[in-house]
Amino acid sequence: MNVPFYRHDLTANDATAVAQVLQSPFLTSGNVGRAVEDRLCEYFGTKHALLVNSWTNGAVAALLALDIVPGDEVIVPAQTFIATANVAELIGAKAVFVDVDPATLLMRPDLVRAAVTPRTRAIIPVHLYGQMVDIAALQEVLADRPDIMIIEDAAHCFEGELNGEKPGTRSGCAIFSFYATKNVTCGEGGALVTNDTALYERLLQTRMHGMSAGAIDRFKLGGYRHWDMQRMGMKANLPDLLACLLPSQIDTIDARLPQRDDLFGVYERAFADIPVRLPTTIGNSRHARHLFVMHVPPAIRDEVIQVMGENGVGVTVNYRAVPTVTYYREKYGYTSGLYPVSEEWGAGTISLPLFPSMTRDEQQHVIDAVRSKIVPMIETSLASASR
Ligand SMILES: *Cc1c(COP(=O)(O)O)cnc(C)c1O
């Protein structure tokens, strides 16, 4: 049996939505996307939402909207996808890494506080694997620096909540990804939500070359209107051709979460008695159950991925610690031991298949592969390490 790492839920019905967009004169951003943005405002309870063509481009648009310039600093966790740090470096700012909590793998407010300097302009907490960073706690340690904007990386956390609050409720903005393996996907895409109207106005420009009006709006109100450009921007808008795939998923996302919860619970019970480490689940929160990860001895991690692959199971790594990749290591001269929790977790973590349409048989196949093939490898590794 082959179990892919991820399988999306889109069906032939979604082709109808694409066919409808094909009948409109402009295939790019228009009424379909605007309707999705309204839906996102409703879902997250925010004043504004903007669709973008990726999390990455949305984050760059946000940093441009804040007028972040070379020399400025953006604090990010060491345990995340490289994009979280890359967006700061892309515009010439410095990504400043902080280590994460050993139990939850989430950014620690005390370490953020210690990393703040006069050049700090933004912080990008990551709701890793689907659990929310405590944004209120982060705001508390930054109480004397209201100029620092919190930009939530909510790529894993569309459905997540903490103390009844969703991403984007109290920060500068939250950014989602609709990349191919995310809980809501249109292949490539993303969205920003915010309650900050001044930021929203600037984002409308930085999302579109810094222009004062979008391509479609130029032809409205009878005659052609010239646009102006007041700030540097990029091309980050999502075309209606992709936006049309989102409404059906937003409608069903809450109904699909119990399926993810269920699969998660089955994995947790199946692995309760084997020597692997799992992240701690936070109380008072709704976990978006984006990724099911476990930590195996770093010495055998790559072999574990290989063996799972040979048994027909798609496994990935989310993620090796960002400061350990060549670009950051060479640029900043990082040595091992600077971000011990992220380095250790990143060296041993693997992610197992998890998606709502996964069948009982498929999940049992994954569990059997772990228990019969991986556990003996772990036991051998642990025995030789303790000798
Ligand atoms: C997927 C992901 C991103 C990047 O999203 P894109 O839409 O591919 O740009 C950023 N951060 C995290 C944590 C992610 O998982």
Side-chain angles (χ1 to χ4, degrees):
M1 181 186 275
N2 271 309
V3 186
F5 178 68
Y6 187 80
R7 194 165 57 218
H8 68 74
D9 290 334
L10 295 172
T11 65
N13 281 342
D14 296 287
T16 314
V18 176
Q20 265 166 20
V21 174
L22 288 175
Q23 314 222 332
S24 67
F26 290 111
L27 303 178
T28 183
S29 309
N31 292 333
V32 175
R34 265 193 282 269
V36 174
E37 290 173 343
D38 290 345
R39 261 183 148 99
L40 290 171
C41 287
E42 215 177 290
Y43 185 86
F44 291 101
T46 53
K47 282 193 203 142
H48 311 287
L50 298 100
L51 287 173
V52 285
N53 54 16
S54 67
W55 181 96
T56 303
N57 287 343
V60 172
L63 296 177
L64 289 173
L66 296 180
D67 293 319
I68 288 181
V69 296
D72 286 345
E73 296 174 359
V74 177
I75 300 177
V76 300
Q79 175 52 233
T80 182
F81 182 53
I82 47 174
T84 314
N86 288 359
V87 292
E89 297 273 328
L90 250 170
I91 60 167
K94 181 181 182 187
V96 173
F97 296 101
V98 292
D99 209 0
V100 295
D101 181 89
T104 63
L105 287 321
L106 299 179
M107 192 177 224
R108 275 174 48 181
D110 58 328
L111 294 183
V112 169
R113 176 71 246 184
V116 167
T117 76
R119 297 306 304 261
T120 307
R121 299 289 320 282
I123 295 175
I124 312 184
V126 179
H127 302 321
L128 197 71
Y129 306 138
Q131 298 206 100
M132 275 184 75
V133 173
D134 189 342
I135 302 299
L138 211 46
Q139 284 170 325
E140 217 170 281
V141 299
L142 297 169
D144 61 327
R145 288 292 302 275
D147 57 307
I148 298 176
M149 185 165 277
I150 297 176
I151 298 171
E152 297 172 63
D153 180 340
H156 295 182
C157 200
F158 194 95
E159 309 93 311
E161 291 177 8
L162 183 65
N163 300 319
E165 289 182 354
K166 291 179 184 291
T169 305
R170 54 168 64 238
S171 66
C173 64
I175 312 179
F176 303 91
S177 170
F178 303 142
Y179 173 68
T181 58
K182 301 291 159 56
N183 290 15
V184 172
T185 182
C186 58
E188 299 285 355
L192 292 107
V193 296
T194 180
N195 283 318
D196 182 336
T197 300
L199 176 66
Y200 172 71
E201 301 285 340
R202 293 196 299 272
L203 280 167
L204 284 173
Q205 298 187 358
T206 57
R207 179 176 66 168
M208 183 62 97
H209 304 296
M211 283 161 73
S212 52
I216 285 183
D217 298 325
R218 263 183 277 153
F219 298 95
K220 275 203 179 149
L221 306 169
Y224 184 89
R225 285 182 305 148
H226 282 292
W227 41 263
D228 188 19
M229 176 188 157
Q230 292 150 348
R231 56 172 62 246
M232 181 48 68
M234 54 184 308
K235 189 66 161 61
N237 61 301
L238 187 72
D240 279 2
L241 266 179
L242 292 176
C244 69
L245 298 173
L246 298 170
S248 65
Q249 294 177 71
I250 298 170
D251 283 349
T252 55
I253 190 73
D254 285 336
R256 285 182 291 138
L257 186 57
Q259 294 167 275
R260 285 183 174 272
D261 265 328
D262 206 47
L263 293 161
F264 218 87
V266 170
Y267 273 145
E268 279 182 329
R269 286 189 294 280
F271 302 141
D273 61 340
I274 69 169
V276 294
R277 204 147 40 89
L278 308 181
T280 305
T281 300
I282 303 164
N284 233 358
S285 79
R286 180 155 102 143
H287 195 312
R289 307 295 192 199
H290 176 54
L291 291 170
F292 186 87
V293 294
M294 59 167 62
H295 187 272
V296 301
I300 59 161
R301 192 262 302 275
D302 293 356
E303 199 188 333
V304 165
I305 298 171
Q306 168 101 21
V307 169
M308 290 297 280
E310 284 162 9
N311 284 273
V313 181
V315 169
T316 64
V317 171
N318 306 93
Y319 306 91
R320 286 182 300 146
V322 181
T324 67
V325 304
T326 303
Y327 173 88
Y328 288 104
R329 205 167 18 86
E330 289 184 348
K331 180 167 182 183
Y332 296 112
Y334 293 134
T335 52
S336 72
L338 283 172
Y339 309 98
V341 175
S342 300
E343 288 166 31
E344 210 264 335
W345 179 265
T349 188
I350 61 167
S351 308
L352 300 182
L354 177 74
F355 46 88
S357 68
M358 194 178 192
T359 65
R360 286 282 170 234
D361 283 353
E362 285 177 321
Q363 188 172 29
Q364 195 56 50
H365 180 75
V366 177
I367 291 168
D368 290 345
V370 170
R371 294 195 66 103
S372 69
K373 303 288 188 327
I374 307 306
V375 170
M377 289 166 61
I378 296 173
E379 281 165 353
T380 308
S381 168
L382 293 176
S384 75
S386 66
R387 236 186 282 125

